[in-house]
Amino acid sequence: MKKIELEIVALSHSITQTHSYAVVLGEVNGLRRLPIVIGGFEAQAIAVALEKMNPSRPLTHDLMKNFLVAFNIELHEIIISDLQEGIFFSKLICSSEHDTVEIDSRTSDAIALAVRFGCPIYTYENILEMAGIVMDEKGEPKATREEAVGATTTESNRDDLKTMSLEELHHLLNEVLENEDYIRAIAIRDEINSRTNR
């Protein structure tokens, strides 16, 4: 089967499921989008890697990357290989000096690792046909990386940040970093940057 390359175009709160997020993958040089519902932990893991943040302690996906690198195992690509009853299945394509193997993975974990390794994300035509959304030429423009990560906060959260002073924002930023809420930290940092770069 022909593989279709995807890229992350958005990361936001899931409209359909409370306390969940959606990562939206877009067809490279195409108009189709593949939304995938993921958990909060995985959304944070993806957001941290997209923003190139350095948590005070390694997250699970950072640990996995460090482990693979330490043993000279390379992650070449991930493939979203199947869709059953609304659940996506993925494979990590890895190689060592002696062997190439496919490892089953949850799709959210596979994406979090792909961002860390900078490797491509693929799927197959039948999966895009089943779960993809086609955007027309007049559809909204593809989100940039910053817009994609910024989409993780709701409009009301953004409005709340706008009413706070810089001192309050810095205090809140330290608080959420201590609690390892990196998605909220990105929104706060963006608000601070928007004021200091005026």
Side-chain angles (χ1 to χ4, degrees):
M1 273 189 280
K2 183 187 169 199
K3 295 185 296 188
I4 297 165
E5 188 171 357
L6 303 170
E7 60 188 348
I8 298 172
V9 296
L11 181 62
S12 64
H13 281 289
S14 172
I15 296 165
T16 56
Q17 295 186 29
T18 313
H19 307 302
S20 292
Y21 293 80
V23 60
V24 181
L25 303 174
E27 182 181 18
V28 173
N29 301 320
L31 298 172
R32 292 179 290 184
R33 302 288 181 262
L34 187 65
I36 300 173
V37 175
I38 60 175
F41 173 76
E42 292 80 8
Q44 282 204 26
I46 293 167
V48 163
L50 285 173
E51 286 291 310
K52 298 184 178 11
M53 295 175 83
N54 291 313
S56 55
R57 300 179 298 162
L59 300 176
T60 304
H61 300 93
D62 299 317
L63 174 64
M64 184 69 181
K65 180 187 178 189
N66 294 341
F67 183 85
L68 292 171
V69 169
F71 287 93
N72 295 317
I73 298 168
E74 191 175 334
L75 177 61
H76 292 285
E77 63 188 41
I78 70 159
I79 302 173
I80 301 169
S81 55
D82 200 4
L83 175 61
Q84 296 177 20
E85 297 176 10
I87 297 169
F88 291 92
F89 294 81
S90 293
K91 295 182 182 301
L92 308 173
I93 311 302
C94 301
S95 67
S96 65
E97 192 178 319
H98 308 290
D99 204 4
T100 297
V101 294
E102 291 183 1
I103 302 170
D104 289 332
S105 172
R106 293 188 316 163
T107 299
S108 53
D109 292 328
I111 293 169
L113 285 170
V115 175
R116 282 164 174 75
F117 277 92
C119 72
I121 302 168
Y122 293 103
T123 194
Y124 298 120
E125 182 66 37
N126 65 315
I127 292 173
L128 273 177
E129 282 179 11
M130 282 190 286
I133 298 167
V134 179
M135 308 295 283
D136 62 19
E137 294 289 344
K138 295 177 185 174
E140 292 182 23
K142 184 167 68 171
T144 63
R145 185 172 61 80
E146 290 77 18
E147 289 167 341
V149 176
T152 58
T153 57
T154 62
E155 288 300 324
S156 62
N157 283 343
R158 282 193 212 119
D159 292 342
D160 291 345
L161 295 177
K162 290 188 183 312
T163 63
M164 298 175 82
S165 70
L166 268 175
E167 187 179 327
E168 291 171 323
L169 287 169
H170 283 291
H171 178 72
L172 181 59
L173 181 60
N174 289 333
E175 238 176 65
V176 297
L177 285 173
E178 279 178 28
N179 293 324
E180 300 183 354
D181 185 353
Y182 299 111
I183 291 178
R184 182 92 168 123
I186 291 166
I188 296 164
R189 188 214 52 208
D190 288 348
E191 177 62 26
I192 291 169
N193 288 344
S194 73
R195 295 188 198 185
T196 54
N197 293 335
R198 282 179 189 163

